Amino acid sequence: MSRFFTAGDSSSESSSDEEQLYSDDEEQQQQGQDEESSSEEEEEEEEEEESSSEEEGAGGVSRFLRDAASSDESSDEDTPKVVKSAKSKRLEELESVIKLIDNATKINDWSSISIEFDKLNRQVTKVDTSDHKAPKAYVKTVSDLEDFMNETLAKQKVTPKKMNATNAKGLNAMKQKVKKNNKDYATEIEKYREDKFEYMMSDEEEEVVPAPRRAPRTATHVEIGEGDQEGFSTVGRGGRTLQYTPESILSHLRTINESRGKKNTDRQEQIKIMERLLAVANTPYHKMRVLLSVISTRFDLTTGSTATYMQPDQWKLADNEFGVLLETLEENRDMVIVENAEAWEDDEKQPTVPADGKLKIPGSIVSIAERLDDELTRSLQQIDPHAAEYIERLQDEQSLYNKIVRAQLYVEEISADTKLEIPQDALNRIVMRRIEHIYFKPSQVVAILEDQAWESIPSSLNSNVTMRGKQEDTSALISVLCTYLFEKSTDIIRGRAFLCQVYFCALHDQYYKARDMLLMSHLQETISNFDVSTQILFNRTLVQAGLCAFRAGLVYESQNTLQEICGSGRQKELLAQGVMIQRFSQVSPEQERLERQRQLPFHMHINLELLECVYLTCSMLLEIPLLAQTGSSPDIKKRIISKTYRRHLEFHERQIFTGPPENTRDHIMQASRALAAGEWKKSVELISSIKIWDLMAQPESIKAMLTSQIQEEGLRTYLFTYAPFYDTLAVNVLASMFELTERKVAAVVSKMIAHEELAAALDQVNSAIIFRKGVELSRLQSLALSLSDKASGLIEANEKTLEQRTSGMEHRFERQGGQRRGRGGGAGMRGGGRGRGGGERTRGGQQFGGGALGSAIKA
């Protein structure tokens, strides 16, 4: 064995000596080579030395056989061989590990990712690049892995489904490893994330088209002759020109449009290119084409990125460019932007205006206005409403409204030309956007918006729908716009226009007009067929109508209107003013994202505290007299107007100690108890001390209305409670007790008598109320009636139970020879023969009918 080892050592030494001599000769012959080639040779030597050292550790017999095989192979020198350098081998091993990591990420296997990541870091230390930097494939992998890890962690926070223990352990381990590892490659990772495509392309170009082995490297640029430099400029890396001319605008735009939607597209660089093209554009056609492209590219900045809304600076630039586009269209009436136009294919020359028509440019003015509006709304959703930034962002609404009105004028103008075949839907959409910006605002704010909008529009432009200076009243403006949509639109837009006008009327205290319009539209019957945003608008309109009825003193109408929204306990969700995450609800991240996108900006919110205060106050004024009526007359069937109010009142009454009221609900509950006890003045004081009334338009009139309502309901509560104890009662006594006029007291009592709520008569001669005796039941009679009601209810429940259990089984107890007999009379079950072969039994005794339940049913 030792000889084998000795032979193996001597052979390895001789082979290494020959390799060393060969490498020395190579170094002498290739002194002009660059640093990269010399480093590759050193790596080859290191690889061969490693292989020889591995042979030393192997067994002697295998070494002997291996030497024999190598001698046989060396004899055949004509066989072609594939020789790979050590660097190539290491890179292949690195790529195989990267591929395993990619496969593991596809199945979200973090345990395998953690293991392969450790192998990747060990492998990358063996790869030596020419510039002593990490391979770009490695930089790409660790950067993408960090992004994927952050995305997975974000999903785990919102998803109810958790990982298994092994996978979660691997994810936690990777979280620490990636954070620690990527610090060393932060610079390269930043370069990769700035422009992924360019970062990787530069590496590929160097590998695919390497410089000649013995020739020095040259700069990668294209030289252009002096005679051909007109219209062109120097081409840098990636084929990007540094200067632009009017003749190359269309070709540049085509290149940019073809790259839209592709991955690794640098949109910021495209915007810079188009801004330079806009500066050199010398014709209206070129200017319009560049403006359409740059606006679309600015909108693309938010797609496919982590940003949830468009940045304010980009939005303002797009808004200004949209204004320039509209001005250019107004100055050049022979060119129009329409959706049904064909794209111009020739990049060498621009199209000419036809003699008998107008030049059509593909695009959509309405879509740009809608996207600007949506981006502004999205940004207002994300910004903190209590910060100064929200107010600054809200100031952009005036500029957007100006563009919407101007776009409406342009669409009206091109729609008048029948040759262009502009669909009516385009004008309907832009008019609807205009309505949605003003329907929820007070008339004073709408007037300011309109004045500034018409001031920014040239005097030569006018509208056929809303003439300049004709609609001085904002209600007339809303009416004209909505009437236009009633006539020209269908389905969703018409329904939204109806709701917007009803909302505006309710906001400006026109309750009866709003109520009649809402009833005539029949939207309450078909609103479930509309989209979610229209359903939210319907809920907002319903709430605003209820608040309008309350301001008008119509307590019953207000409570009845607000019952559906406020009684559900989901006001935030129904009005799109917040997302309510319930404990056991299975809501996917996608559904939650859509729900948040539907939320309204803060300046469009309806005050939920005010809404609850109005609803509970109206419920108090209706429920307290009803409770007094049912308490004094048990024969009256109990009914509940508001379950929400009853629940709050019962909870408040169960409290052992009640301190001074702290919030709106406490004020109303304590006022309810005072009103039920006949202390109407204390009830008025508690209701009037609620500070939320100051948010309404005329708080003093609201408090005066509530005072009169509490006086009347206090009178009705008193009569219901103490009527059994009176024979006659003077009207002036009630008037002095509740500080009402005698005429008002007589009116309230007459109404109660007419509705059969009070068993009495009004003596107008003596100005007194005469109560009829004998109508009220005694305590025993009331209890007997209650018992009979409960017994009848029990019988009905038993009947339903019996029907459910015996349905389809009427002949269950019949036998072949006859019907089974009961135990009662005649020949009973035992009296008639027991054998089955006998004749038909006579019908005797009582049939089985279900026992006591059957007897009750037959009775």
Side-chain angles (χ1 to χ4, degrees):
M1 293 294 291
S2 60
R3 283 182 293 171
F4 291 147
F5 279 112
T6 308
D9 294 339
S10 61
S11 63
S12 62
E13 288 173 3
S14 60
S15 62
S16 61
D17 293 339
E18 291 174 0
E19 290 170 0
Q20 184 68 29
L21 291 173
Y22 176 76
S23 60
D24 293 340
D25 295 338
E26 281 291 313
E27 289 177 1
Q28 292 175 3
Q29 293 175 3
Q30 299 178 359
Q31 290 179 357
Q33 290 185 349
D34 53 7
E35 296 178 358
E36 183 178 0
S37 59
S38 62
S39 62
E40 290 179 358
E41 292 172 1
E42 292 174 359
E43 289 173 355
E44 291 177 1
E45 295 170 5
E46 292 174 359
E47 183 69 17
E48 292 172 356
E49 290 175 0
E50 288 179 2
S51 61
S52 62
S53 62
E54 290 176 357
E55 291 176 356
E56 291 176 1
V61 177
S62 60
R63 182 179 298 277
F64 178 76
L65 295 175
R66 206 178 296 122
D67 290 340
S70 61
S71 63
D72 293 339
E73 290 175 0
S74 62
S75 63
D76 191 5
E77 297 178 354
D78 297 334
T79 305
K81 297 180 180 179
V82 179
V83 180
K84 293 183 180 180
S85 63
K87 181 178 179 181
S88 300
K89 292 180 181 179
R90 300 278 168 75
L91 288 175
E92 286 180 0
E93 294 174 359
L94 187 70
E95 289 174 358
S96 64
V97 176
I98 291 174
K99 188 174 181 180
L100 291 175
I101 292 177
D102 291 339
N103 293 336
T105 55
K106 292 177 182 178
I107 60 174
N108 204 21
D109 186 2
W110 285 101
S111 178
S112 300
I113 292 174
S114 179
I115 296 172
E116 298 300 330
F117 186 73
D118 294 337
K119 291 182 182 178
L120 182 68
N121 288 331
R122 289 195 299 268
Q123 192 67 33
V124 78
T125 57
K126 300 178 182 179
V127 179
D128 186 20
T129 57
S130 58
D131 51 359
H132 301 287
K133 293 182 180 178
K136 297 193 175 182
Y138 174 79
V139 174
K140 175 181 180 299
T141 303
V142 296
S143 177
D144 294 344
L145 194 58
E146 183 179 6
D147 296 339
F148 180 67
M149 182 191 68
N150 293 333
E151 182 181 351
T152 305
L153 291 172
K155 287 182 180 178
Q156 286 298 309
K157 292 180 181 179
V158 297
T159 184
K161 187 176 180 181
K162 302 299 181 183
M163 289 183 177
N164 56 38
T166 306
N167 219 14
K169 185 177 180 181
L171 178 59
N172 293 331
M174 281 300 300
K175 184 178 178 182
Q176 302 297 330
K177 292 178 184 178
V178 170
K179 184 177 180 181
K180 182 179 180 180
N181 180 75
N182 287 11
K183 288 182 180 179
D184 300 333
Y185 307 100
T187 305
E188 293 295 319
I189 291 174
E190 288 178 4
K191 292 180 181 179
Y192 168 72
R193 287 176 175 171
E194 286 175 1
D195 192 343
K196 299 181 180 180
F197 182 75
E198 180 65 23
Y199 183 86
M200 300 304 296
M201 280 297 295
S202 61
D203 186 41
E204 292 175 4
E205 289 173 1
E206 292 174 2
E207 292 181 3
V208 174
V209 190
R213 186 174 182 85
R214 297 181 182 274
R217 294 185 179 182
T218 58
T220 57
H221 66 275
V222 180
E223 296 291 342
I224 300 175
E226 296 180 358
D228 298 333
Q229 286 185 358
E230 185 178 358
F232 296 93
S233 58
T234 305
V235 179
R237 177 176 293 181
R240 297 178 180 176
T241 57
L242 303 178
Q243 295 179 359
Y244 308 94
T245 59
E247 291 78 8
S248 62
I249 287 178
L250 296 180
S251 61
H252 284 303
L253 290 179
R254 178 178 294 279
T255 304
I256 291 172
N257 290 332
E258 288 175 353
S259 64
R260 285 190 66 185
K262 295 182 179 179
K263 293 183 178 179
N264 302 323
T265 302
D266 190 354
R267 297 187 180 93
Q268 292 285 359
E269 184 65 25
Q270 289 182 348
I271 291 173
K272 293 178 181 179
I273 292 173
M274 286 185 284
E275 287 175 350
R276 296 174 185 174
L277 294 176
L278 184 61
V280 300
N282 53 7
T283 62
Y285 177 78
H286 285 162
K287 195 172 183 180
M288 293 179 192
R289 287 286 305 274
V290 175
L291 286 171
L292 287 171
S293 298
V294 71
I295 292 173
S296 301
T297 308
R298 292 192 193 280
F299 290 147
D300 290 343
L301 290 174
T302 55
T303 58
S305 63
T306 57
T308 55
Y309 64 94
M310 195 173 178
Q311 293 300 319
D313 54 345
Q314 293 292 336
W315 187 92
K316 291 178 181 179
L317 291 172
D319 182 62
N320 294 333
E321 289 160 355
F322 184 45
V324 174
L325 179 61
L326 291 174
E327 292 177 1
T328 309
L329 288 170
E330 292 162 2
E331 295 171 357
N332 301 272
R333 302 299 176 94
D334 54 348
M335 299 181 185
V336 293
I337 295 177
V338 292
E339 296 181 11
N340 54 4
E342 295 182 359
W344 181 252
E345 300 294 339
D346 191 358
D347 296 339
E348 300 298 329
K349 61 179 181 178
Q350 71 176 35
T352 57
V353 180
D356 56 345
K358 297 182 178 180
L359 177 60
K360 296 181 181 180
I361 303 173
S364 177
I365 295 296
V366 178
S367 298
I368 294 175
E370 288 178 335
R371 184 63 186 272
L372 283 172
D373 190 12
D374 293 339
E375 291 294 342
L376 178 62
T377 303
R378 199 172 292 125
S379 66
L380 290 172
Q381 289 173 348
Q382 302 295 328
I383 298 174
D384 182 12
H386 304 291
E389 183 183 0
Y390 189 88
I391 304 299
E392 295 175 359
R393 195 76 180 94
L394 197 57
Q395 294 175 356
D396 296 331
E397 187 179 14
Q398 178 66 62
S399 175
L400 177 61
Y401 186 75
N402 299 346
K403 304 298 188 304
I404 290 176
V405 175
R406 199 162 185 171
Q408 178 190 336
L409 303 185
Y410 176 74
V411 177
E412 286 181 24
E413 180 184 348
I414 62 176
S415 298
D417 191 349
T418 56
K419 296 181 180 179
L420 298 176
E421 299 178 355
I422 304 299
Q424 180 64 36
D425 181 63
L427 185 54
N428 294 342
R429 284 157 54 198
I430 197 68
V431 171
M432 191 67 234
R433 290 284 177 166
R434 184 178 178 185
I435 294 174
E436 289 177 349
H437 274 272
I438 60 177
Y439 80 94
F440 63 93
K441 292 183 172 67
S443 56
Q444 299 86 349
V445 179
V446 177
I448 295 173
L449 273 176
E450 282 290 313
D451 293 341
Q452 294 187 5
W454 286 107
E455 287 176 2
S456 64
I457 298 174
S459 58
S460 59
L461 300 177
N462 206 343
S463 173
N464 297 325
V465 180
T466 56
M467 301 293 291
R468 183 191 292 264
K470 291 294 181 66
Q471 280 76 29
E472 297 180 357
D473 187 11
T474 54
S475 59
L477 172 65
I478 291 287
S479 178
V480 168
L481 292 173
C482 293
T483 304
Y484 178 81
L485 292 180
F486 299 159
E487 298 173 355
K488 303 292 184 180
S489 64
T490 56
D491 301 334
I492 293 180
I493 293 182
R494 175 184 290 182
R496 291 184 68 85
F498 248 112
L499 293 174
C500 289
Q501 188 171 4
V502 172
Y503 190 102
F504 187 83
C505 293
L507 185 64
H508 293 81
D509 296 331
Q510 301 175 16
Y511 171 72
Y512 292 104
K513 182 179 179 181
R515 182 198 63 182
D516 295 342
M517 287 188 63
L518 193 59
L519 293 176
M520 286 189 299
S521 66
H522 297 284
L523 283 173
Q524 61 272 17
E525 301 170 2
T526 59
I527 191 62
S528 58
N529 300 328
F530 286 79
D531 59 331
V532 178
S533 61
T534 307
Q535 294 180 20
I536 292 170
L537 179 59
F538 177 80
N539 295 338
R540 285 167 51 81
T541 305
L542 210 61
V543 166
Q544 199 60 247
L547 294 176
C548 180
F550 177 78
R551 291 193 296 267
L554 305 172
V555 175
Y556 177 77
E557 288 81 355
S558 177
Q559 199 277 339
N560 194 22
T561 306
L562 298 177
Q563 173 67 36
E564 188 175 358
I565 303 296
C566 298
S568 64
R570 299 166 54 213
Q571 297 93 318
K572 277 187 178 182
E573 186 177 354
L574 294 175
L575 298 177
Q577 296 182 189
V579 180
M580 298 181 64
I581 306 299
Q582 300 178 359
R583 290 183 61 186
F584 303 104
S585 63
Q586 298 293 332
V587 180
S588 63
E590 182 68 16
Q591 291 176 340
E592 184 178 354
R593 184 182 64 83
L594 293 175
E595 187 71 22
R596 293 189 183 279
Q597 285 181 354
R598 288 192 286 262
Q599 301 304 303
L600 295 174
F602 183 76
H603 68 283
M604 297 178 65
H605 284 192
I606 297 173
N607 194 312
L608 296 179
E609 186 178 359
L610 176 63
L611 181 61
E612 183 187 22
C613 180
V614 169
Y615 174 70
L616 292 178
T617 302
C618 293
S619 300
M620 177 193 74
L621 295 175
L622 296 177
E623 284 279 7
I624 295 301
L626 182 62
L627 288 172
Q629 183 182 8
T630 55
S632 61
S633 302
D635 56 327
I636 299 176
K637 187 177 181 179
K638 293 183 179 181
R639 63 189 182 95
I640 298 176
I641 297 177
S642 173
K643 292 183 179 180
T644 305
Y645 173 79
R646 287 283 184 98
R647 186 169 62 252
H648 291 324
L649 186 61
E650 290 173 1
F651 176 77
H652 188 269
E653 289 177 350
R654 284 199 303 267
Q655 291 182 350
I656 299 174
F657 173 76
T658 55
E662 297 179 355
N663 51 32
T664 302
R665 189 180 300 170
D666 291 345
H667 278 85
I668 296 174
M669 294 302 112
Q670 292 195 15
S672 301
R673 296 184 65 179
L675 184 61
E679 301 176 2
W680 67 271
K681 290 186 177 179
K682 182 179 179 182
S683 178
V684 168
E685 181 182 354
L686 287 168
I687 293 294
S688 300
S689 62
I690 299 176
K691 296 181 180 180
I692 200 71
W693 304 123
D694 296 335
L695 298 178
M696 304 189 84
Q698 298 175 348
E700 296 302 326
S701 63
I702 296 295
K703 292 178 182 179
M705 181 270 295
L706 287 174
T707 301
S708 63
Q709 291 285 347
I710 291 174
Q711 288 174 330
E712 293 179 19
E713 299 304 328
L715 172 61
R716 296 179 73 246
T717 305
Y718 183 82
L719 291 175
F720 283 136
T721 305
Y722 298 105
F725 305 99
Y726 282 101
D727 290 330
T728 59
L729 184 60
V731 174
N732 57 1
V733 174
L734 291 174
S736 61
M737 187 181 299
F738 292 96
E739 296 183 3
L740 294 170
T741 61
E742 295 184 7
R743 185 174 181 178
K744 185 67 175 176
V745 173
V748 172
V749 173
S750 300
K751 188 175 181 180
M752 294 174 66
I753 295 173
H755 291 170
E756 297 182 355
E757 297 175 346
L758 187 64
L762 183 62
D763 186 359
Q764 295 182 352
V765 177
N766 298 321
S767 186
I769 304 171
I770 302 174
F771 296 93
R772 292 198 299 268
K773 291 298 179 182
V775 179
E776 290 79 9
L777 300 177
S778 64
R779 181 66 176 169
L780 180 60
Q781 291 172 331
S782 300
L783 293 174
L785 286 174
S786 300
L787 181 61
S788 65
D789 290 341
K790 292 180 180 179
S792 62
L794 181 61
I795 290 174
E796 291 178 0
N798 289 340
E799 288 178 1
K800 292 179 181 179
T801 304
L802 182 64
E803 289 176 1
Q804 292 175 359
R805 291 189 176 183
T806 62
S807 58
M809 304 176 68
E810 295 85 0
H811 307 289
R812 179 178 179 181
F813 301 103
E814 293 183 1
R815 292 177 179 246
Q816 186 176 0
Q819 191 171 10
R820 184 175 180 178
R821 300 178 183 179
R823 299 180 181 179
M829 182 174 62
R830 298 180 181 179
R834 302 191 180 193
R836 296 187 180 181
E840 184 179 357
R841 299 181 181 182
T842 59
R843 192 179 185 88
Q846 184 180 359
Q847 303 179 35
F848 181 80
L853 291 179
S855 301
I857 294 172
K858 291 176 182 178

